[in-house]
Amino acid sequence: GKKQLTDNSSSDDEPSYSPSGKKIAFQGSDGQDTEIYTINSGGGGKQPVTDNSSDDYFPDYAPNGKRIAYTNNAETGTDEEIYTIKPDGGGKKQLTDNTANDYYPSYSPSGKKIAYVYEAAGTDAEIYTIKPGGGGRTPVTDNSTNDDDPYWGSQ
């Protein structure tokens, strides 16, 4: 049942299925930098979600399918921040804004929180959560090792 969905000279990776299973969000190159795209899960219908001059990666569909969380590298300066956007590319919202690198967003099964990695300069990576509309930033881990790539799993 294996089926190739994309065919180009760059890497397309970090897939995230929509809740309906009809679409897949993924990161891929536009020839200049990395952007977020969606494609039909059966192939075809590739559409850009982001289109800017900085890298966008690690997409994750919200459980209701209405938004995609992702990481942007340096649109706001020199660090990585977490954003959400509608699958059609509208309604972009920045959730984090600090001097640390924030990456690997992962929606909770209820959609009420997004877990992500927070890595300030000179410190180890920790897991935090934030509300999908922004605010409510809460540390989950606090130790002397790197905590990386959070994933909620299913309920």
Side-chain angles (χ1 to χ4, degrees):
K2 179 173 133 177
K3 180 173 179 150
Q4 183 173 341
L5 301 180
T6 63
D7 185 14
N8 55 59
S9 61
S10 67
S11 294
D12 294 327
D13 50 11
E14 298 293 334
S16 175
Y17 271 91
S18 67
S20 69
K22 294 181 180 179
K23 293 279 189 180
I24 299 171
F26 65 96
Q27 66 188 40
S29 176
D30 66 358
Q32 303 297 316
D33 57 8
T34 302
E35 302 292 349
I36 305 296
Y37 296 90
T38 60
I39 195 166
N40 297 331
S41 58
K46 179 181 171 183
Q47 295 291 319
V49 177
T50 62
D51 183 16
N52 54 53
S53 60
S54 54
D55 290 319
D56 299 311
Y57 41 94
F58 308 131
D60 189 52
Y61 258 104
N64 65 10
K66 293 183 179 180
R67 300 200 60 86
I68 297 170
Y70 67 98
T71 300
N72 173 272
N73 184 9
E75 187 170 303
T76 60
T78 59
D79 61 332
E80 299 169 322
E81 303 293 351
I82 305 293
Y83 290 78
T84 65
I85 195 166
K86 293 178 182 178
D88 68 3
K92 180 172 85 169
K93 180 167 181 62
Q94 184 174 350
L95 301 187
T96 62
D97 187 9
N98 54 56
T99 58
N101 286 316
D102 301 314
Y103 52 94
Y104 285 134
S106 177
Y107 274 97
S108 68
S110 69
K112 293 181 179 180
K113 292 183 180 181
I114 297 173
Y116 65 96
V117 175
Y118 171 88
E119 187 175 8
T123 67
D124 61 307
E126 301 291 348
I127 305 296
Y128 277 69
T129 62
I130 196 166
K131 294 178 182 176
R137 186 178 140 222
T138 306
V140 175
T141 63
D142 183 13
N143 54 51
S144 60
T145 61
N146 283 318
D147 299 307
D148 206 3
D149 203 4
Y151 175 72
W152 292 86
S154 59
Q155 291 180 326

